Amino acid sequence: MKKFLSVLLCAAMCTAILCGCASESASQINVIDVGGSGAVASEEGSGSDEDSAVPPQSETPPADTLNHDETDIEPDDAIVPSSETAPAAGGVEQDDLIDPDSTDIPVATTQTAVTSAQTSSESQTSATTVSTTASTTASTTVSATEQTAEHEPVELPDNAVNSYSALNHADVKGVWISYIELADILTGKTESDFRKAIGAAYDNCVSLGLNTVYVHVRSHGDAYYKSSLYPWSKYVTGTFGKAPDFDPLKIMISEAHSRGLSFQAWINPLRACAVTDISGESGYPIYSWVNGADTAGKYVVKVGSTYYLNPAYGEVVDFIAAGAAEIAANYDVDGVHIDDYFYPTTDASFDSSAYSQSGCGTISEFRLSNCDRLVSGLYGAVKKANPSALFGVSCQGSIENNYNQMYADVKKWCSQSGFTDYIMPQIYYGFSNSTQPYSRCAAEWDALAQSGGIPLIIGLSVSKIGLEDAWAGAGKTEWITDKNILSRQYTEALGQRSYGGICLYSYRSIFTPDSAVVSQVDKEIAALKAAMND
């Protein structure tokens, strides 16, 4: 039995369900070898066609690093650093800078950054009703214009409830395993080879004392599992949309559970495929929306060389939520996890048409509301598919950046029920960072987590060890000169009243670091292991 969503296109939809702005305001680790955003093509399709990817910018440089899994970006997502932009303390990482030769419009010139005071005020006045199912946002009166639109509604599966009892830990010791790391052991491999390699990777995790893995199962509008909504990832067989003769997700789950590891299915909800990969989406909703007469440039928007789903439309939000429900219903995952891939740009052209017809006072209010519905929709969809599974959000470490870069109302998500089971900020800062010192940042997040009584799981960066942090001001050499940073951060995390664990970024940084920093990484990890076992 399948349910059909209404067509969601025009002003009535934006006003009725999307915004609602008028009414809402010390031992060596034994490592096992596992083998070897920016200018926008606008919502109306009138933007630049250049493919240089430019990350989110604002008048105040963001304090965070690249979006979570972009430490090593595939060629079609490559970001060219600028030598003409001077760093500011706590500002953007080197790879976050705009290509000076790009003909795309820098987003900082098209929209003024929203101050934290503004967003805080907006978040307090924009209380929203939490969606409890993936289809809740689709219940509205369709306008006459929408009724005549030449658009086929997306057909979503009506999934059964999964009775699996999820394995989760009160004290999380986790690690992120991204699509980049999976590609090394999965792409084009046989079932036997992959099972052996992922098992060895998990053995490395267990040897460190970890109990939870956050593993990519959708990174680019794709799937590492059998899906009726998304095509097979090119990182599985080497060809976008080509099915393997085994199910990688089933293997990853079974191998994790056999070792007592909780398996969290990590998805990027809004990032879709590279522009050059769009043919691989043929037969699936993303392809139809990119090429539809009434949806092109609206439901899916080109940002640099990558397509992004637009959460301004209820049908898109329902589609994303249905994808999460599909995973939780059909696979014995212990949770579904998203990171900081919300709005890919501050450029107003990304969703200008929907915003102009929404009745919202500011574009910030509009986007914050859209992300609220996205996150609450995902939460409700996961809980409906398997009530025992967790849904969690890993946001940027800077609270301000979540508002003026990502449009993520983390204060609301932490304080109100129906959004997330835990909060996992990426506090990738040292103790001496001039604008985001670790201790102060962790305490701020602890206060937010306490406001809603949810666990605080702190994301820690292994990838910075041994390297200069150019944007940390007085602390730029801390990761080179100081010792036992991670173990000290872990100890401080334990002292937070809402402490629920830590998560390390990333697997490769821990177990196969660059030769230039391997000695220092090994010492840091050994000290961390000793602290965790103390």
Side-chain angles (χ1 to χ4, degrees):
M1 183 68 185
K2 300 200 174 200
K3 57 187 178 181
F4 292 83
L5 300 181
S6 300
V7 178
L8 311 173
L9 290 174
C10 302
M13 180 56 64
C14 295
T15 303
I17 68 166
L18 298 179
C19 179
C21 298
S23 61
E24 300 173 353
S25 27
S27 59
Q28 181 71 29
I29 303 300
N30 180 27
V31 179
I32 301 171
D33 182 13
V34 298
S37 301
V40 178
S42 78
E43 193 184 11
E44 296 300 321
S46 60
S48 169
D49 288 329
E50 294 297 319
D51 286 340
S52 60
V54 186
Q57 300 287 325
S58 70
E59 292 184 346
T60 301
D64 279 357
T65 62
L66 284 166
N67 279 341
H68 200 192
D69 58 358
E70 288 188 351
T71 313
D72 295 282
I73 305 176
E74 59 179 323
D76 52 27
D77 281 342
I79 296 172
V80 182
S82 167
S83 60
E84 299 176 4
T85 306
V92 294
E93 293 289 340
Q94 184 67 23
D95 286 347
D96 273 337
L97 299 176
I98 297 174
D99 176 7
D101 299 320
S102 172
T103 57
D104 284 345
I105 303 170
V107 298
T109 67
T110 61
Q111 177 173 332
T112 303
V114 181
T115 66
S116 59
Q118 288 173 317
T119 54
S120 177
S121 175
E122 290 163 4
S123 68
Q124 292 171 359
T125 59
S126 60
T128 186
T129 300
V130 177
S131 168
T132 57
T133 70
S135 61
T136 301
T137 58
S139 55
T140 188
T141 302
V142 181
S143 70
T145 303
E146 290 169 322
Q147 290 173 356
T148 59
E150 296 179 359
H151 173 61
E152 290 295 326
V154 174
E155 192 174 283
L156 301 181
D158 188 7
N159 298 299
V161 176
N162 190 343
S163 61
Y164 165 71
S165 182
L167 167 67
N168 285 297
H169 302 279
D171 184 355
V172 172
K173 305 280 197 312
V175 62
W176 281 286
I177 302 177
S178 78
Y179 75 94
I180 300 166
E181 292 147 335
L182 284 179
D184 293 337
I185 61 175
L186 174 57
T187 307
K189 300 297 193 295
T190 65
E191 178 178 359
S192 176
D193 287 342
F194 178 61
R195 184 180 293 277
K196 180 179 179 181
I198 196 65
Y202 290 160
D203 287 340
N204 287 335
C205 295
V206 172
S207 74
L208 179 54
L210 305 180
N211 58 25
T212 305
V213 290
Y214 298 81
V215 187
H216 250 146
V217 301
R218 184 191 313 138
S219 59
H220 295 81
D222 53 7
Y224 289 68
Y225 55 93
K226 187 176 181 180
S227 172
S228 63
L229 299 172
Y230 296 89
W232 282 99
S233 173
K234 67 181 180 182
Y235 300 107
V236 176
T237 62
T239 302
F240 208 113
K242 182 180 179 181
D245 57 6
F246 63 95
D247 190 327
L249 182 52
K250 282 188 176 180
I251 291 174
M252 291 191 288
I253 293 170
S254 66
E255 292 297 319
H257 287 167
S258 71
R259 292 164 172 80
L261 293 170
S262 174
F263 184 94
Q264 306 293 318
W266 171 15
I267 65 174
N268 294 124
L270 296 183
R271 182 174 63 184
C273 64
V275 172
T276 53
D277 285 333
I278 190 59
S279 62
E281 295 275 2
S282 181
Y284 293 89
I286 289 176
Y287 183 87
S288 298
W289 288 339
V290 167
N291 294 284
D294 56 324
T295 56
K298 294 182 178 181
Y299 281 26
V300 184
V301 184
K302 178 176 173 286
V303 182
S305 61
T306 304
Y307 284 118
Y308 284 82
L309 289 161
N310 185 354
Y313 296 95
E315 192 172 0
V316 173
V317 172
D318 286 336
F319 166 69
I320 294 169
E326 183 181 53
I327 295 169
N330 297 336
Y331 292 88
D332 292 345
V333 298
D334 301 298
V336 175
H337 175 83
I338 64 173
D339 62 0
D340 58 328
Y341 272 83
F342 295 104
Y343 274 88
T345 179
T346 58
D347 192 326
S349 66
F350 182 86
D351 49 5
S352 58
S353 177
Y355 167 58
S356 67
Q357 300 178 63
S358 69
C360 292
T362 67
I363 197 168
S364 173
E365 183 179 2
F366 176 64
R367 290 181 174 180
L368 286 165
S369 182
N370 293 339
C371 284
D372 284 349
R373 284 164 173 77
L374 171 67
V375 172
S376 66
L378 283 163
Y379 178 92
V382 171
K383 294 302 181 181
K384 183 179 179 181
N386 184 350
S388 72
L390 296 179
F391 174 73
V393 181
S394 177
C395 44
Q396 293 205 2
S398 165
I399 293 174
E400 294 77 11
N401 271 17
N402 284 294
Y403 284 92
N404 60 31
Q405 295 288 316
M406 301 288 105
Y407 304 96
D409 195 345
V410 294
K411 295 176 183 178
K412 178 188 291 182
W413 302 349
C414 287
S415 64
Q416 297 184 17
S417 62
F419 287 97
T420 185
D421 289 312
Y422 60 86
I423 196 72
M424 188 189 289
Q426 299 161 26
I427 309 182
Y428 297 165
Y429 313 121
F431 291 97
S432 301
N433 187 292
S434 292
T435 58
Q436 294 286 345
Y438 174 83
S439 298
R440 187 187 74 195
C441 193
E444 291 172 348
W445 280 105
D446 184 47
L448 287 188
Q450 286 185 60
S451 71
I454 62 173
L456 170 66
I457 303 172
I458 295 180
L460 302 178
S461 176
V462 181
S463 62
K464 285 191 173 183
I465 296 172
L467 303 176
E468 181 178 290
D469 191 355
W471 310 104
K476 69 178 183 179
T477 62
E478 178 179 7
W479 296 92
I480 299 174
T481 61
D482 291 15
K483 297 180 180 180
N484 302 332
I485 295 177
L486 293 179
S487 60
R488 289 186 286 124
Q489 290 184 332
Y490 168 71
T491 300
E492 282 208 14
L494 282 173
Q496 306 302 323
R497 291 179 63 185
S498 298
Y499 171 80
I502 61 167
C503 190
L504 304 176
Y505 186 77
S506 64
Y507 177 89
R508 182 163 62 180
S509 298
I510 300 169
F511 298 107
T512 57
D514 186 88
S515 59
V517 298
V518 63
S519 177
Q520 191 168 349
V521 168
D522 285 348
K523 292 176 182 177
E524 283 280 339
I525 294 302
L528 175 62
K529 181 178 181 180
M532 291 193 300
N533 292 332
D534 189 4

